[in-house]
Amino acid sequence: MEAGKLSKFLKNGAIWGFIVLELIFFSVAGEFMSLSDKAFMDVDNMLLLLKQSAPIGIIAMGMTIIMVNGNIDLSVGATFALSAVILLDSMTWAVFAGLGDWVIPVSWALALLTGVVLGAINGLIVWKTGVDAFIVTLGSMLGFRGLVFMYNGENPTSSLNWTLVDFAEAQFLGFHTATWFLAVVTLIIWYVMTRTVHGRNAYAIGNNREAAVNAGIKVGPHMLINFMIIGFLAALSAVVFYSESGSVNPNDGQLYELWVITAVVLGGTKLTGGAGSIVSTLGGVLAIQLLRKGLGHIGADTSTVNLVIGLILIAVLFLDRQLNAKGKEELKI
């Protein structure tokens, strides 16, 4: 195998190797340290893990496009929360009182539209002002979160529709509804990134924006579309999650942006843009969820989980820098 192909294989396959090591470690460690009688790799445990991966995973697919593009979106957690508030609150609006269960698709559409609009706001500001997406979305993260609190104060927004709950809790071929949403989103985004002009342009812009402009790619509109995609997916994640829970707190979704970015980077997407894989991002999402679930399985508390994942992220970023160094003079070990 040629050196270039070997390097690419190691980068793309590393996350799946890491997942295998996680499964082995937590299965063995669980035998000695677990507070539960259930085996870690129990089928029900793994199905639940896939379901729990869906909210972060759906957003992570959009974040991969954004980061391949050379941008970042820190407002996804706030977009997630605001879309959830619109979803649940709109079910109680007097104007929809006569719709019965037909209010469900209407509320879904309003929530998804909210995500698209918020994403478009980010994209337009980045495009028209030229301000770095990190700064723009940091500001919108605070602004969108402020809208959540303005909408309903510090009180939770609740609306439990049992038809919706039954749909969200349903299983098909053994997999939960949320897992199917994650699978379909992953397949669609994979197709967009690997089989369409839009996907090829995303890599070209992230790799060299100036060259992309010279090649005739309309960078501004392209980035706008990508921000609308991630806004839509953040809203879809909220729709999937809150269809079952039926209650959203104003602080819900906080730190989602960090979990999502960690999963995407762990999957091998470069922070500087130009490189990334949807399949590897899925691996990153599963690896993060395995860590959280596995550490909990052996009795670790939340602070330990955050510490371990933070250290792993730092290690991955360091290794990425070394693997992508252009010359020996850039290697600092």
Side-chain angles (χ1 to χ4, degrees), residues 204-289:
I205 292 169
N207 189 52
N208 190 324
R209 187 168 299 185
E210 184 177 348
V213 171
N214 292 334
I217 298 174
K218 297 180 179 179
V219 174
H222 175 91
M223 293 193 301
L224 172 62
I225 291 171
N226 288 338
F227 275 105
M228 292 171 69
I229 289 173
I230 194 172
F232 174 86
L233 292 177
L236 179 62
S237 176
V239 165
V240 171
F241 184 81
Y242 290 102
S243 292
E244 181 174 358
S245 71
S247 181
V248 54
N249 290 303
N251 287 314
D252 284 2
Q254 283 193 343
L255 299 183
Y256 264 34
E257 54 279 340
L258 297 183
W259 288 109
V260 168
I261 292 168
T262 300
V264 174
V265 171
L266 193 59
T269 299
K270 293 171 61 177
L271 282 171
T272 53
S277 163
I278 295 298
V279 174
S280 294
T281 289
L282 178 62
V285 170
L286 297 178
I288 291 293
Q289 194 59 39

Side-chain angles (χ1 to χ4, degrees), residues 283-312:
V285 170
L286 297 178
I288 291 293
Q289 194 59 39
L290 272 171
L291 270 176
R292 297 173 69 178
K293 197 170 187 68
L295 290 170
H297 183 70
I298 63 177
D301 56 21
T302 303
S303 58
T304 302
V305 173
N306 291 338
L307 174 63
V308 170
I309 292 178
L311 291 174
I312 288 174

Side-chain angles (χ1 to χ4, degrees), residues 140-218:
S140 58
M141 174 183 72
L142 300 174
F144 296 164
R145 183 66 64 178
L147 290 176
V148 175
F149 279 93
M150 288 172 64
Y151 195 95
N152 210 18
E154 296 188 3
N155 300 314
T157 302
S158 302
S159 179
L160 196 60
N161 182 302
W162 288 107
T163 301
L164 194 53
V165 171
D166 289 341
F167 170 76
E169 291 183 345
Q171 294 186 35
F172 178 67
L173 299 178
F175 296 99
H176 297 88
T177 300
T179 304
W180 283 108
F181 269 95
L182 174 59
V184 170
V185 167
T186 300
L187 182 61
I188 292 173
I189 301 301
W190 171 85
Y191 181 85
V192 168
M193 294 299 287
T194 60
R195 298 292 187 272
T196 69
V197 173
H198 185 85
R200 290 194 292 272
N201 287 348
Y203 286 101
I205 292 169
N207 189 52
N208 190 324
R209 187 168 299 185
E210 184 177 348
V213 171
N214 292 334
I217 298 174
K218 297 180 179 179

Side-chain angles (χ1 to χ4, degrees), residues 17-47:
F18 181 59
I19 288 174
V20 171
L21 290 176
E22 284 184 294
L23 290 171
I24 294 172
F25 173 79
F26 288 123
S27 296
V28 174
E31 295 292 326
F32 302 98
M33 304 170 62
S34 176
L35 303 178
S36 171
D37 295 331
K38 183 178 286 189
F40 180 68
M41 289 184 65
D42 178 85
V43 173
D44 290 337
N45 237 3
M46 293 298 102
L47 289 175

Side-chain angles (χ1 to χ4, degrees), residues 3-168:
K5 292 183 179 180
L6 176 61
S7 176
K8 184 177 180 180
F9 172 78
L10 289 174
K11 286 182 181 180
N12 294 336
I15 187 61
W16 301 103
F18 181 59
I19 288 174
V20 171
L21 290 176
E22 284 184 294
L23 290 171
I24 294 172
F25 173 79
F26 288 123
S27 296
V28 174
E31 295 292 326
F32 302 98
M33 304 170 62
S34 176
L35 303 178
S36 171
D37 295 331
K38 183 178 286 189
F40 180 68
M41 289 184 65
D42 178 85
V43 173
D44 290 337
N45 237 3
M46 293 298 102
L47 289 175
L48 181 59
L49 181 141
L50 290 173
K51 177 184 177 182
Q52 293 171 336
S53 298
I56 294 296
I58 291 171
I59 304 174
M61 297 305 147
M63 187 67 79
T64 303
I65 302 178
I66 291 291
M67 290 175 63
V68 164
N69 231 173
N71 293 311
I72 201 163
D73 190 347
L74 301 179
S75 67
V76 290
T79 299
F80 173 89
L82 187 55
S83 299
V85 168
I86 297 297
L87 168 73
L88 298 182
D89 194 54
S90 63
M91 290 186 180
T92 66
W93 291 353
V95 68
F96 301 143
L99 291 179
D101 283 341
W102 285 104
V103 73
I104 294 173
V106 173
S107 295
W108 275 31
L110 288 172
L112 296 173
L113 180 61
T114 299
V116 172
V117 170
L118 296 181
I121 291 172
N122 283 335
L124 280 170
I125 295 174
V126 172
W127 172 17
K128 296 299 184 180
T129 68
V131 177
D132 190 90
F134 180 91
I135 302 300
V136 171
T137 59
L138 178 62
S140 58
M141 174 183 72
L142 300 174
F144 296 164
R145 183 66 64 178
L147 290 176
V148 175
F149 279 93
M150 288 172 64
Y151 195 95
N152 210 18
E154 296 188 3
N155 300 314
T157 302
S158 302
S159 179
L160 196 60
N161 182 302
W162 288 107
T163 301
L164 194 53
V165 171
D166 289 341
F167 170 76

